[in-house]
Amino acid sequence: MKIAVAGIGYVGLSNAVLLAQHNEVVALDVVPEKAELINARKSPIVDPEIDRFLAQADLNLTATTDPRTAYEGASYVIVATPTNYDPETNHFNTRSVESVIGDVLRINPRATIIIKSTIPIGYTKALKERLGVSNIIFVPEFLREGKALYDNLYPSRIIIGDSTPKAHEFARLLLEGGRRKDTPVLFTGSTEAEAVKLFSNTYLAMRVGYFNELDSFAVRKGLNTREIIDGVTLDPRIGHFYCNPSFGFGGYCLPKDTKQLLANYTDDAVPERLVRSIVETNSIRKDFIADEILKKKAGRIGVYRLIMKSGSDNFRESSIQGVIRRLKAKGAELLIYEPALKADQFEGIPATRSLEKLKQECGLIIANRWNDELEDVRSKVYTRDIFGNN
């Protein structure tokens, strides 16, 4: 069958590639360069598995910037456009989602619309009632940047926010494209599926925040962080995963999803303390990191990469940005090394694409995640990366 995918980011492209193994898939984006790259079988995002599939797999995949070309004749339209958190409204900005849905209802109203963008709890039900339609299904995504296609090929679970025949068929399509045929599949209400997404990411944020607070305690008390984490995580109920300290949780999902979940609590006047603390601990951690850096009085401070984590090309909400803003506000002299940055400055801070310049001109280099290309200046690198992984 024909499937359209609106939005060629991590979510959209990984789903497009997955489904193009057995279906005709047309990917749509407003950026012509992205469509051109995909049609040339090159990935516009950093993801080794997507690179390999585009180069080697037999995919029925094309890309376009024309909505009519994408939507006409499609049985399913997947919406994977960005929904950034708007601090003024305390909600996700869902305008891009509604724009796509409006186009689909105008061009191909019989298509089943699958929302994979992250949305507020209760959004799908309210939208269907407002538009007077029943053909919209929310299907949450649980992907890691840089491993998006891998996580679609070997998913931990598939959650479908609907139980109609079309919902079951879409679950079958996802299983057909994946490699893990015993993947658990759960059919829920749309609002429950939206809650699964936000509560899952907020739990992950809580875990990051927990081990960061453990690390802050160890640093201030002169203790060995690794020894404490190794001992704590030997408990099988806790486990030795997602426990590497950092400058804070960042990226496209965790910061905005935790804030949106907190906003849902506020709207419903539900008693809570933990979710608010998870949001606040991330800011507290960045304050702590900035203070520790300033204590070193090392002169010019170099920033090694703006990206959210190793193997990513995404600067969005990376935790190191929060740290450098705090350092800048306190008068620190900074130099940013970011080879993916085309400009010679970032938010008024000088930037370079020369690693040697960073090493030579800075007395201290801060790195959210360690990289072996810093080995020759290890003595002046400040990082809280204990285990050398993301």
Side-chain angles (χ1 to χ4, degrees):
M1 67 179 68
K2 179 181 177 181
I3 300 170
V5 178
I8 310 177
Y10 283 92
V11 173
L13 185 53
S14 61
N15 275 274
V17 171
L18 179 86
L19 295 166
Q21 296 173 94
H22 301 102
N23 305 278
E24 175 193 357
V25 176
V26 181
L28 173 74
D29 202 277
V30 296
V31 180
E33 291 78 12
K34 286 187 177 182
E36 290 167 6
L37 283 169
I38 290 169
N39 288 331
R41 288 298 184 261
K42 295 179 180 178
S43 176
I45 62 175
V46 175
D47 189 302
E49 206 73 12
I50 289 177
D51 288 337
R52 183 171 69 84
F53 268 63
L54 287 175
Q56 301 174 11
D58 182 18
L59 303 176
N60 188 351
L61 173 63
T62 57
T64 183
T65 57
D66 177 38
R68 189 167 293 277
T69 299
Y71 302 148
E72 279 186 342
S75 299
Y76 289 92
V77 176
I78 296 173
V79 184
T81 57
T83 51
N84 296 318
Y85 183 81
D86 186 343
E88 292 187 5
T89 63
N90 284 335
H91 280 86
F92 289 137
N93 183 335
T94 56
R95 284 195 295 267
S96 67
V97 173
E98 292 176 29
S99 176
V100 169
I101 291 174
D103 286 344
V104 175
L105 293 177
R106 176 174 51 85
I107 295 170
N108 182 7
R110 298 183 64 182
T112 299
I113 299 168
I114 304 292
I115 299 177
K116 279 188 167 284
S117 304
T118 306
I119 51 180
I121 296 173
Y123 177 82
T124 304
K125 181 180 179 182
L127 182 66
K128 288 163 69 174
E129 291 174 353
R130 175 158 57 88
L131 297 176
V133 299
S134 60
N135 57 333
I136 302 175
I137 301 172
F138 176 66
V139 179
E141 202 60 81
F142 307 99
L143 305 177
R144 295 168 293 172
E145 291 194 19
K147 293 182 178 292
L149 180 54
Y150 180 90
D151 289 342
N152 261 327
L153 292 168
Y154 302 94
S156 59
R157 74 279 206 199
I158 292 172
I159 308 292
I160 309 288
D162 197 89
S163 57
T164 60
K166 281 291 188 178
H168 281 264
E169 181 181 54
F170 188 73
R172 180 189 62 78
L173 293 172
L174 294 178
L175 287 170
E176 181 183 48
R179 299 293 183 268
R180 185 186 170 196
K181 302 307 179 184
D182 63 343
T183 300
V185 181
L186 180 63
F187 297 92
T188 72
S190 63
T191 305
E192 285 77 6
E194 291 157 357
V196 167
K197 172 68 173 180
L198 295 187
F199 274 99
S200 293
N201 276 348
T202 300
Y203 178 85
L204 295 176
M206 178 182 70
R207 191 168 171 108
V208 173
Y210 175 85
F211 284 103
N212 280 342
E213 289 204 359
L214 182 158
D215 178 60
S216 296
F217 179 89
V219 169
R220 286 287 165 90
K221 299 293 184 181
L223 305 176
N224 186 309
T225 295
R226 179 160 191 161
E227 290 181 2
I228 300 171
I229 292 177
D230 284 343
V232 167
T233 57
L234 281 173
D235 186 327
R237 296 169 299 177
I238 299 173
H240 196 282
F241 59 90
Y242 228 66
C243 59
N244 192 20
S246 66
F247 290 173
F249 58 78
Y252 187 56
C253 292
L254 299 191
K256 70 184 182 71
D257 289 6
T258 52
K259 291 174 183 176
Q260 177 60 62
L261 182 58
L262 180 59
N264 275 99
Y265 270 93
T266 303
D267 289 347
D268 294 337
V270 178
E272 68 80 27
R273 286 293 181 272
L274 184 57
V275 176
R276 186 178 306 275
S277 296
I278 294 167
V279 173
E280 291 173 352
T281 191
N282 209 35
S283 180
I284 292 169
R285 174 63 169 181
K286 292 171 188 175
D287 292 339
F288 169 82
I289 292 294
D291 288 344
E292 288 296 304
I293 292 167
L294 290 171
K295 282 180 183 178
K296 298 185 179 298
K297 301 185 184 301
R300 194 176 199 187
I301 299 169
V303 178
Y304 177 77
R305 306 301 305 269
L306 293 172
I307 54 176
M308 154 190 158
K309 62 180 183 178
S310 302
S312 170
D313 60 350
N314 175 22
F315 300 171
R316 294 171 299 188
E317 295 294 328
S318 62
S319 58
I320 201 166
Q321 290 185 46
V323 173
I324 65 176
R325 289 182 190 118
R326 286 162 170 79
L327 295 174
K328 180 185 176 185
K330 294 185 178 183
E333 184 185 1
L334 298 161
L335 176 65
I336 296 170
Y337 165 69
E338 180 47 73
L341 188 67
K342 296 179 181 179
D344 292 329
Q345 60 85 32
F346 179 80
E347 295 187 359
I349 301 169
T352 181
R353 289 175 289 281
S354 168
L355 182 57
E356 287 308 309
K357 179 181 175 70
L358 185 85
K359 292 177 178 179
Q360 291 171 10
E361 296 187 7
C362 298
L364 180 73
I365 297 172
I366 62 173
N368 184 46
R369 286 295 177 244
W370 172 259
N371 189 291
D372 286 341
E373 64 183 4
L374 296 171
E375 184 61 46
D376 60 326
V377 290
R378 179 183 283 270
S379 62
K380 61 179 181 180
V381 174
Y382 176 85
T383 183
R384 297 313 305 156
D385 183 353
I386 305 296
F387 297 101
N389 60 49
N390 286 320

